Amino acid sequence: MKKQSTINRIRNIGIIAHIDAGKTTVTERILYYTGRSHKIGEVHDGEAVMDWMPDEQERGITITSAVTSCQWEDAEIQLIDTPGHVDFTIEVERSLRVLDGAVGVFCAVGGVEPQSETVWRQADKYHVPKMAFINKLDRVGADFFGTVEMMKERLHASPLVIQLPVGSEDSFEGVIDLVRMQQILWDDDTLGATFNTMDIDPELLDDARTHREKMLETLAEVNDEIMEAYLAEEPIDAATLLEAIRKAVLSLELVPVLCGSALKNKGIQPLLNAIVGFLPSPADVPPIKGIDPNTDAVVECPAVSSAPLAALIFKVSMIEGRKLSFLRVYSGKLEAGKDVYNPAIQKKEKISRILRMHANKRERLDVATAGSIVGVVGLKDSSTGETLCPPDHPVLLENIDVYEPVISIAVEPKTHSDQEKLDQVLQKFIAEDPTLKVRQDEDTGQTILSGMGELHLEVIISRMLREFNTNVNVGKPQVVYREAIEIVAEGTAVFDKDVAGQHHYGAVSIRLEPLERGCGNSFDSEVSGDAFPASYIPAVEKGVLESLDSGVLMGYPVVDVHAVLVRGEFKESVGSDLAFTVSASMACKNAMNNAHPFLLDPIMAVEVIVPEEYMGEVIGDLNSRNGKVESINPKVGIQEIKATVPLANMFGYSTNLRSATQGRGNYSMQFSHFDRSNAKK
């Protein structure tokens, strides 16, 4: 078993980007050139090591963030390859929560694409130092400097160009290192494993000098030592520049920009050097802070193995039906076979096994020290976002933000055996994925599955069948309306029957009055005690309220109605609670038929985030859905639109919004109130 690296040599990094920018291809090359794998796995062949799930291999996309580790020089790189599709944003969120650095991969043709903006903002939220790798420079339409400009405009980043491409599109050969002023060309015969470092071609030298000057100017703005040397026109050696770049990255002031073509095996080794040279070790980032659950005091968790244990569960995976928890050990050490304490659920848990992960393969460890990212088997009740610590040093680390689902489907088992498995399977998926929600609709009896998008739910349904052999029928959930009345109306009914050998008689008149939205239902009586016995009024009220549970249009509950008992007739010895409950219910139904009943839609509060150039189209689309725009709030580079829209008109909105905004818009919605939609007014 290889010796664990000292904490200063560990790099916990994530590869983040928009879908199809080449994250997994970059990761596969990193694994190959570091010797972690002996064959390059290609995404388009379904053979990528990190895309091990069948759904990932079939679709050619990353669905779940995969953890691996590899050695480069004397450093250990613990790497997470994250998904690029917006439906799986939670995978990026929880990965960035535990990482110390990130490499943003950008397609040289597409530039800074929509999901790149989202994941970049997520990295900013967690103050994660970043680098950029502009990929696919061999593709037709590749534009290195155009992508750098888009980084400034869309990400509000401060890029520091430290490499230039040699050639472009079909003629792309290698890169120019502006720090050392060298040209690097790769050997195609060795799958890029070997490369040649040489003097810069004379025809490229002037361009290289110009961009090196720009690099020095940018560095001088954030580093006094470079500023002094630059103003004095003194030569600045590579070691000084590398140290200055590292400081600027760790302080989040600059983003070094490298380039290459992962598919053509060019640019990866300098990227690895930059990861080790510029991105932080666990010892370089400020110690994470938590809360003592007993005293609410702030607890600092230093990245040293001698401190008390503090580890965060950032992901739970159900592989082959067994629970595997992924942890980041922030301080102290985790030992196999030992008990740990989870203060969130106030329970002790046993660490059965500790595993160093390589995608879906694993290697057993006895101990995981501060800075490690490992898999753990044996945790029964602990879940995503919870902390593990010693019982005598309890600490709660900040939880992971979870996004609310935006789209729902109804699922029902195809067979009786599927019914028995369905609930159990759904519970496993919920434990694994915090953005997945399951509920039983009380009104329709349907099982409603809610997620982040149509692809997200498609994958869950596919995994149900593939991994758990559970077949389900899928359909849209029914929209649950409410009913209300428009005008004041009266209804009268008489109940005069023999029931179970006894005669029952009751006659009532009920008046229904419409109320303002949100007032609920109420009941009152106008009859005097002399004309009608007060003892029967509760029976009348019961009949009215039961009748309002089911309206006359489509059987939905009736809301915002004030019911009044205006007349009651009874006969001695044959009056009964049963008679007045039934007659009140019938009278109420008659009144509803006369009161111009109508349906109330569930109205959703919708919040849409879009770049400014798409705002008009998005507002027009919301209007076409009978939506009402409440406010428009400008943010940095984007607009936030708040609106209310009937739920029935929101099905498929996720797909339409992405189409209308080239994938750059996203939205959230939650129930607001019931009201008459514009279409019905």
Side-chain angles (χ1 to χ4, degrees), residues 516-534:
E516 290 291 321
R517 294 285 79 83
C519 288
N521 294 333
S522 57
F523 174 82
D524 200 2
S525 172
E526 289 182 354
V527 296
S528 65
D530 298 336
F532 188 75

Side-chain angles (χ1 to χ4, degrees), residues 121 191 202 231 346 452 511 535 610 644:
R121 283 199 291 265
L191 291 176
L231 293 176
Q346 298 182 352
M452 296 302 296
R511 183 174 72 243
S535 59
V610 290
T644 52

Side-chain angles (χ1 to χ4, degrees), residues 17-22 84 105-121 136 139 147 150-151 154-155 661-664:
H18 186 86
I19 191 168
D20 206 31
V105 178
F106 302 99
C107 171
V109 180
V112 177
E113 296 169 283
Q115 186 63 3
S116 299
E117 296 179 53
T118 302
V119 297
W120 199 269
R121 283 199 291 265
K136 302 190 179 184
R139 292 264 300 271
T147 304
M150 288 176 78
M151 287 179 65
R154 294 191 177 178
L155 306 178
T661 62
Q662 297 181 13
R664 294 175 63 194

Side-chain angles (χ1 to χ4, degrees), residues 575-610:
S576 68
D577 285 349
L578 172 66
F580 285 108
T581 297
V582 175
S583 60
S585 178
M586 293 162 57
C588 192
K589 284 281 192 286
N590 293 336
M592 277 192 270
N593 280 315
N594 299 328
H596 298 183
F598 60 89
L599 288 179
L600 291 174
D601 289 74
I603 305 296
M604 310 304 286
V606 180
E607 190 174 289
V608 190
I609 306 290
V610 290

Side-chain angles (χ1 to χ4, degrees), residues 139-172:
R139 292 264 300 271
V140 175
D143 184 355
F144 174 76
F145 290 107
T147 304
V148 173
E149 286 304 310
M150 288 176 78
M151 287 179 65
K152 295 177 185 175
E153 293 167 11
R154 294 191 177 178
L155 306 178
H156 306 283
S158 301
L160 178 72
V161 175
I162 61 173
Q163 285 184 353
L164 296 178
V166 177
S168 186
E169 300 181 351
D170 290 344
S171 61
F172 176 68

Side-chain angles (χ1 to χ4, degrees), residues 301-533:
C301 305
V304 292
S305 298
S306 57
L309 171 69
L312 183 75
I313 303 169
F314 68 93
K315 178 176 174 174
V316 172
S317 186
M318 307 300 286
I319 298 175
E320 297 170 357
R322 297 193 65 187
K323 184 175 179 180
L324 176 65
S325 303
F326 290 83
L327 306 182
R328 162 70 190 264
V329 182
Y330 282 101
S331 66
K333 58 185 178 181
L334 194 69
E335 297 180 75
K338 295 286 183 72
D339 286 344
V340 292
Y341 179 63
N342 181 336
I345 58 174
Q346 298 182 352
K347 281 188 180 180
K348 282 188 178 180
E349 295 264 36
K350 191 176 187 67
I351 304 294
S352 300
R353 282 182 288 161
I354 303 173
L355 306 167
R356 177 186 278 120
M357 302 302 298
H358 177 47
N360 62 332
K361 299 179 177 64
R362 53 199 80 165
E363 171 191 343
R364 290 186 73 160
L365 299 173
D366 295 323
V367 178
T369 54
S372 301
I373 293 176
V374 292
V376 166
V377 176
L379 302 179
K380 292 181 180 177
D381 300 311
S382 300
S383 59
T384 301
E386 293 176 353
T387 307
L388 300 180
C389 57
D392 54 343
H393 286 90
V395 63
L396 278 170
L397 301 177
E398 183 186 354
N399 209 325
I400 295 169
D401 286 345
V402 175
Y403 297 84
E404 285 302 311
V406 297
I407 192 167
S408 301
I409 55 173
V411 293
E412 60 181 30
K414 285 190 175 179
T415 67
H416 183 67
S417 62
D418 292 326
Q419 172 69 63
E420 293 172 356
K421 289 186 284 186
L422 182 60
D423 291 343
Q424 188 179 4
V425 169
L426 288 175
Q427 287 308 312
K428 288 182 177 179
F429 282 129
I430 292 168
E432 182 177 295
D433 186 349
T435 60
L436 195 67
K437 297 286 194 309
V438 177
R439 64 179 174 85
Q440 292 290 326
D441 192 302
E442 294 177 3
D443 296 288
T444 66
Q446 291 176 303
T447 298
I448 307 297
L449 191 62
S450 303
M452 296 302 296
E454 287 158 270
L455 178 61
H456 183 200
L457 296 175
E458 271 178 37
V459 168
I460 293 295
I461 299 301
S462 170
R463 289 183 62 197
M464 274 186 197
L465 178 59
R466 201 189 296 268
E467 295 177 30
F468 299 99
N469 199 27
T470 305
N471 285 285
V472 293
N473 292 318
V474 179
K476 282 184 181 177
Q478 296 177 18
V479 176
V480 180
Y481 297 94
R482 294 289 183 266
E483 296 185 20
I485 59 172
E486 197 162 22
I487 61 170
V488 176
E490 271 193 29
T492 300
V494 178
F495 185 82
D496 187 5
K497 285 187 178 177
D498 289 332
V499 177
Q502 186 176 350
H503 192 67
H504 296 265
Y505 179 86
V508 295
S509 293
I510 301 293
R511 183 174 72 243
L512 298 182
E513 302 168 356
L515 297 176
E516 290 291 321
R517 294 285 79 83
C519 288
N521 294 333
S522 57
F523 174 82
D524 200 2
S525 172
E526 289 182 354
V527 296
S528 65
D530 298 336
F532 188 75

